[in-house]
Amino acid sequence: MGDVLKKVPVREQDAKVRATNFEEVCYGYNQEEAMEEAVRCINCKNAKCITGCPVAINIPGFIHEVKEGNIEEAYKVISKSSALPAVCGRVCPQESQCEGVCIRGIKGEPVSIGKLERFVADWAREHGISPEKPAETNGKKVAVIGSGPAGLTCAGDLAKMGYEVTIFEALHEPGGVLVYGIPEFRLPKKGVVAPEIENVKKLGVKIETNVVIGKSVTIDELLNEEGFDAVFIGSGAGLPKFMGIPGENANGVFSANEYLTRSNLMKAFDENYDTPIMIGKKVAVVGGGNVAMDAARTALRLGAEVHIVYRRSEAELPARVEEVHHAKQEGIIFDLLTNPLEILVDDNGWVRGMSCIKMELGEPDESGRRRPVEIKGSEFEIELDTVIMSLGTSPNPLISSTTKGLETNRRKCIVAQEENGATTKEGVYAGGDAVTGAATVILAMGAGKSAAQGIDEFLNGK
Amino acid sequence: MYKIRKAEKLAENIFLMDVEAPRIAKSCEPGQFLIVKMDEKGERIPLTICDYHREDGTVTIVFQIVGASTKKMAELQAGDSFRDVIGPLGQASEFIHEPAAELKEKKYLFVAGGVGTAPVYPQVKWMKENGIDVDVIVGAKNKDLLILEDEMRAVAGNLYVTTDDGSYERKGMVTEVIKDLVQNEGKHYDQVVAIGPMIMMKFVCLLTRELGLPTIVSLNPIMVDGTGMCGACRVTVGDQVKFACVDGPEFDGHLVNFDEAMKRQTIYKTQEGRAMLKLQEGDTHHGGCGHCGGDE
């Protein structure tokens, strides 16, 4: 028995080895380790962890089953609330959600809820346990736009309630950010994402890929011509931002979305696939979020020296602590308090470097974070051949601009009620990044869940 | 899966296919494009929609072998299938939104270069269907590389064919024909639409700016998703950065930064060259020649 104040450590691939491959970094718990960690949960009466979880999983309930060795029961408890536990156990920022409010965390480390959830989901998959299809449908049809975490959750919940659900996906593979954004080494596609999507299909959900809503067919046509009774929009926030600095269109400058899509969705890192990717020698990733870490660690694995260029200090990095830690272990160099001014371009139109300026932190801004201020005269240049811009994304206006009566705010986000996802157009619901702007997988799932409730109330009241 | 109904060789290295894609056939308009992905390991390749048959649920694509992927694609036969066909993508040509009465008052000149004849065709056909006769210039390197001549002749008001080497009809570049029509034959045009290789569109635009003819071009930058989520296809138009896949592919040619666009087309030239060599030489390709990089 280890130190009860500390988490049971999780086995990981060695940093030096994993920096050269795309295999999963974290191996997860085995049953023995999971049961040992489960003992640390003190089964609070008013469990705060549940309130910290956006889909309110009965955490003490499932951990109790793990403690007893009833892993199948534990899976059933989680499945009541979550459609994608193998994904969430891996990518949720637990430190600011369930684990952030765990009582154990006051003195020592919180219970490793994410790793336990992941263990249960992986165990269920390996033992061939999946959710059951409902006996019969209620004959009502719902269209779900987008097959990311919001869409998959909403579709799964509606199917369980008896609706006939069709998901429309613009790309050639379902999964949204789970397949094109988050890399293989954090979230294996064949091993983890594909089986979770299969589970949603087993509930009776149909998935039609290669359908671009707003182009191939509009929401109005789905409602008026194709017989759908309601629509859920979970189209995400996939439009990349650029800085608008000189040289940004040079050869060798990519959005993180492009870089990651090439690597994750198109498998450009694997030479058996046809899509090419730029293998830089010296790469700068501009930004400090999870996407920046993913892009940096991908470039590293392709063989580059990689710098994260971020204008604030380490304390303000929006990325998960675990990811920053992993990135550092692997050898990513952090150029903090540094802001790009211009991409330097050679005579042939290729990136040759970046001119930057040093920053210091000033007074807190409206968001409460200390505002970075340029230090006069501190300009300097770094030599580079590749720059990856990871400055965040915003919702794609394609759907809102082709749907009559769908209101958006000034950030192009769809206006929807928080409690049930209802938009300004009757029968049309929305949730996830399309409503909030870029956020987390689990928040998108929470929104998908509330919208499924909202749609059910709307169609039952009809 | 998207079944190939017809596969036809139009000229050396240029192929036409009719593909079953009912949703695209139902909703596409002239000026839009689609993306095909051959198989699981294939890349996503953007191609302009050359024709569509709404009742049949098929769309027509025309492509030229330029690298490994298009070479593999050319081997597909009627009865084979594409794993993925996505679309329609991009904005439709602006003229389809114009009131018919106003459109009929305008004089249009379409300029097509090489395989660019394919995307020009549905636009000219749309004009014909709406009772508008337009002038069309089609340019090809030589007689053998001229495509869709009969189809174009059936829908164009006046068709001017030119070949670089003079092996058929007129001799010379499309720009020479434009000059000839405007300066010697006294023709007037309110709008020019030019589609072809980037370098051709650039030179057409340099000329039409001089002649004072508004010109629309259809750009063909590198694309990945084609839905606006990556910016691989970004181009500078005037003082703005645009994504060709969602804002275009058609833009005011006099505002396009062609030099930047042409440089960006070459980003993966080395990798593309290697892929082509690997395909051509198969197992015999082991590098060592010191040029192809296959030994790295």
Side-chain angles (χ1 to χ4, degrees):
Chain A
M1 186 82 199
D3 182 352
V4 77
L5 294 180
K6 284 196 172 152
K7 291 179 173 182
V8 171
V10 66
R11 287 164 292 113
E12 285 176 352
Q13 206 193 142
D14 179 76
K16 280 210 185 74
V17 177
R18 72 180 193 239
T20 62
N21 68 43
F22 280 82
E23 307 292 313
E24 193 170 16
V25 167
C26 174
Y27 292 133
Y29 286 151
N30 59 29
Q31 186 161 343
E32 195 187 338
E33 291 160 340
M35 287 170 71
E36 190 185 331
E37 177 66 16
V39 174
R40 296 184 61 231
C41 174
I42 52 177
N43 205 355
C44 304
K45 240 190 214 136
N46 295 311
K48 283 196 174 168
C49 54
I50 302 180
T51 59
C53 171
V55 296
I57 293 174
N58 178 359
I59 292 165
F62 98 76
I63 293 183
H64 175 76
E65 299 296 346
V66 174
K67 201 189 308 182
E68 301 293 316
N70 301 328
I71 314 302
E72 190 170 348
E73 286 306 311
Y75 179 70
K76 282 185 190 158
V77 174
I78 296 174
S79 294
K80 276 184 197 153
S81 313
S82 173
L84 310 167
V87 170
C88 289
R90 286 172 166 81
V91 305
C92 272
Q94 288 103 4
E95 64 272 22
S96 57
Q97 294 176 335
C98 55
E99 294 181 22
V101 289
C102 172
I103 296 296
R104 269 271 181 226
I106 297 172
K107 267 195 228 165
E109 292 180 347
V111 174
S112 200
I113 301 167
K115 299 282 186 291
L116 287 173
E117 178 188 25
R118 169 188 161 150
F119 163 72
V120 170
D122 288 353
W123 186 95
R125 182 181 63 246
E126 283 153 19
H127 289 77
I129 294 159
S130 53
E132 273 170 44
K133 193 178 171 170
E136 55 187 69
T137 64
N138 61 20
K140 288 178 187 162
K141 284 172 69 181
V142 181
V144 170
I145 317 301
S147 63
L152 288 172
T153 304
C154 186
D157 278 17
L158 286 167
K160 283 186 214 163
M161 295 175 201
Y163 291 93
E164 285 177 31
V165 186
T166 305
I167 299 181
F168 296 97
E169 166 57 48
L171 289 172
H172 59 270
E173 297 286 350
V177 76
L178 308 178
V179 296
Y180 77 75
I182 303 173
E184 193 75 18
F185 53 83
R186 280 218 287 143
L187 188 62
K189 308 301 160 221
K190 274 212 172 96
V192 175
V193 179
E196 297 244 76
I197 292 170
E198 277 309 307
N199 280 347
V200 175
K201 282 197 202 164
K202 279 180 192 156
L203 294 169
V205 173
K206 282 190 216 121
I207 302 183
E208 204 183 320
T209 52
N210 300 333
V211 181
V212 186
I213 300 297
K215 292 286 176 191
S216 314
V217 62
T218 62
I219 287 180
D220 291 301
E221 285 166 348
L222 289 177
L223 288 168
N224 302 330
E225 292 168 26
E226 297 202 16
F228 287 98
D229 300 294
V231 174
F232 171 74
I233 305 170
S235 51
L239 200 72
K241 290 177 189 162
F242 287 92
M243 290 188 84
I245 57 173
E248 221 170 357
N249 281 0
N251 288 5
V253 183
F254 305 93
S255 72
N257 263 18
E258 177 185 352
Y259 202 74
L260 290 170
T261 300
R262 284 180 183 273
S263 179
N264 299 331
L265 178 71
M266 306 309 296
K267 310 249 177 287
F269 67 85
D270 181 337
E271 59 172 26
N272 294 313
Y273 285 73
D274 295 340
T275 302
I277 194 163
M278 189 55 61
I279 299 173
K281 287 195 170 66
K282 200 168 165 190
V283 178
V285 178
V286 181
N290 286 318
V291 176
M293 299 304 139
D294 286 345
R297 295 171 69 197
T298 297
L300 179 99
R301 281 161 170 75
L302 292 170
E305 173 190 315
V306 186
H307 294 247
I308 290 268
V309 175
Y310 179 59
R311 62 195 183 131
R312 290 184 163 100
S313 74
E314 177 157 357
E316 288 83 19
L317 281 170
R320 292 189 61 197
V321 174
E322 184 179 335
E323 301 312 323
V324 175
H325 175 68
H326 279 151
K328 281 188 176 167
Q329 276 182 330
E330 289 164 11
I332 306 279
I333 300 155
F334 283 73
D335 296 342
L336 301 166
L337 290 164
T338 303
N339 205 30
L341 296 173
E342 182 182 352
I343 312 256
L344 306 169
V345 186
D346 72 13
D347 294 341
N348 297 317
W350 284 85
V351 172
R352 65 172 174 84
M354 194 159 72
S355 124
C356 299
I357 189 162
K358 286 278 177 200
M359 312 290 279
E360 60 190 351
L361 291 181
E363 294 300 307
D365 61 15
E366 316 84 64
S367 73
R369 291 192 303 176
R370 292 177 66 194
R371 189 196 305 268
V373 187
E374 292 184 353
I375 301 173
K376 279 209 177 80
S378 68
E379 294 87 349
F380 67 104
E381 288 182 7
I382 37 179
E383 231 178 85
L384 298 164
D385 58 10
T386 307
V387 177
I388 301 172
M389 290 293 175
S390 179
L391 310 156
T393 53
S394 59
N396 192 320
L398 192 57
I399 286 172
S400 48
S401 66
T402 55
T403 309
K404 284 181 215 116
L406 192 67
E407 205 178 293
T408 53
N409 65 20
R410 63 184 170 79
R411 294 184 300 131
K412 300 266 195 284
C413 297
I414 296 170
V415 176
Q417 290 174 33
E418 204 183 323
E419 62 281 7
N420 62 8
T423 67
T424 51
K425 187 178 171 78
E426 194 187 61
V428 178
Y429 292 73
D433 289 2
V435 170
T436 57
T440 62
V441 167
I442 189 71
L443 281 173
M445 289 178 56
K449 210 169 188 52
S450 315
Q453 288 291 344
I455 290 170
D456 184 46
E457 278 159 29
F458 167 69
L459 291 179
N460 272 330
K462 232 179 181 177
Chain B
M1 298 294 264
Y2 301 78
K3 199 169 172 188
I4 300 167
R5 210 57 94 65
K6 179 171 103 180
E8 194 184 318
K9 185 172 177 177
L10 295 183
E12 193 56 37
N13 288 340
I14 303 178
F15 297 82
L16 175 147
M17 288 176 184
D18 280 351
V19 186
E20 287 177 11
R23 280 199 187 276
I24 304 176
K26 188 178 170 216
S27 57
C28 67
E29 299 286 359
Q32 292 189 297
F33 65 100
L34 50 74
I35 282 181
V36 297
K37 185 170 182 290
M38 254 184 76
D39 50 30
E40 199 211 328
K41 292 180 178 164
E43 58 184 328
R44 292 168 66 102
I45 304 167
L47 296 167
T48 313
I49 298 167
C50 170
D51 204 353
Y52 45 89
H53 308 280
R54 304 219 195 273
E55 329 70 52
D56 277 5
T58 61
V59 290
T60 306
I61 52 173
V62 170
F63 63 91
Q64 188 166 20
I65 294 180
V66 290
S69 289
T70 38
K71 192 172 168 59
K72 277 193 260 177
M73 225 164 94
E75 284 160 19
L76 295 176
Q77 303 289 327
D80 292 341
S81 294
F82 287 104
R83 184 186 185 275
D84 301 286
V85 181
I86 304 111
L89 300 166
Q91 302 293 332
S93 303
E94 243 168 56
F95 58 74
I96 73 159
H97 304 297
E98 271 184 62
E102 279 174 40
L103 204 53
K104 281 191 175 134
E105 296 299 309
K106 282 193 188 170
K107 205 68 191 133
Y108 267 76
L109 171 67
F110 286 86
V111 184
V115 76
T117 309
V120 166
Y121 174 70
Q123 304 198 10
V124 176
K125 186 181 171 193
W126 186 94
M127 289 287 195
K128 174 81 176 175
E129 282 167 358
N130 285 274
I132 302 162
D133 276 346
V134 298
D135 284 2
V136 181
I137 302 170
V138 171
K141 270 207 180 99
N142 57 52
K143 185 172 190 290
D144 295 338
L145 289 173
L146 184 67
I147 57 166
L148 302 171
E149 189 192 355
D150 296 340
E151 288 84 350
M152 198 65 101
R153 207 169 284 285
V155 292
N158 297 303
L159 178 67
Y160 308 93
V161 175
T162 185
T163 47
D164 293 3
D165 63 356
S167 52
Y168 186 61
E169 300 234 340
R170 293 175 182 237
K171 179 179 191 310
M173 303 286 179
V174 290
T175 42
E176 290 166 61
V177 185
I178 299 173
K179 245 190 229 169
D180 195 37
L181 291 179
V182 174
Q183 290 176 338
N184 301 333
E185 295 193 25
K187 292 236 184 189
H188 166 78
Y189 297 105
D190 299 291
Q191 183 70 59
V192 176
V193 178
I195 308 179
M198 207 80 96
I199 188 80
M200 171 214 122
M201 293 191 283
K202 176 183 167 175
F203 279 102
V204 167
C205 287
L206 286 173
L207 173 67
T208 56
R209 189 198 302 244
E210 218 174 276
L211 299 172
L213 307 175
T215 303
I216 288 168
V217 294
S218 177
L219 298 183
N220 49 346
I222 290 172
M223 288 187 189
V224 185
D225 61 287
T227 62
M229 60 173 259
C230 84
C233 66
R234 62 196 191 276
V235 289
T236 305
V237 180
D239 53 4
Q240 286 182 306
V241 174
K242 299 273 187 188
F243 289 4
C245 72
V246 287
D247 301 318
E250 296 188 2
F251 295 103
D252 179 344
H254 295 159
L255 297 178
V256 169
N257 183 338
F258 281 106
D259 293 338
E260 178 189 274
M262 282 190 279
K263 271 179 195 154
R264 287 186 58 80
Q265 277 186 327
T266 67
I267 293 179
Y268 295 102
K269 219 173 153 190
T270 315
Q271 285 99 317
E272 284 164 2
R274 281 179 195 168
M276 189 65 169
L277 278 176
K278 198 174 154 193
L279 185 72
Q280 283 169 346
E281 302 183 2
D283 288 341
T284 63
H285 179 72
H286 297 298
C289 64
H291 298 295
C292 68
D295 39 352
E296 270 177 20

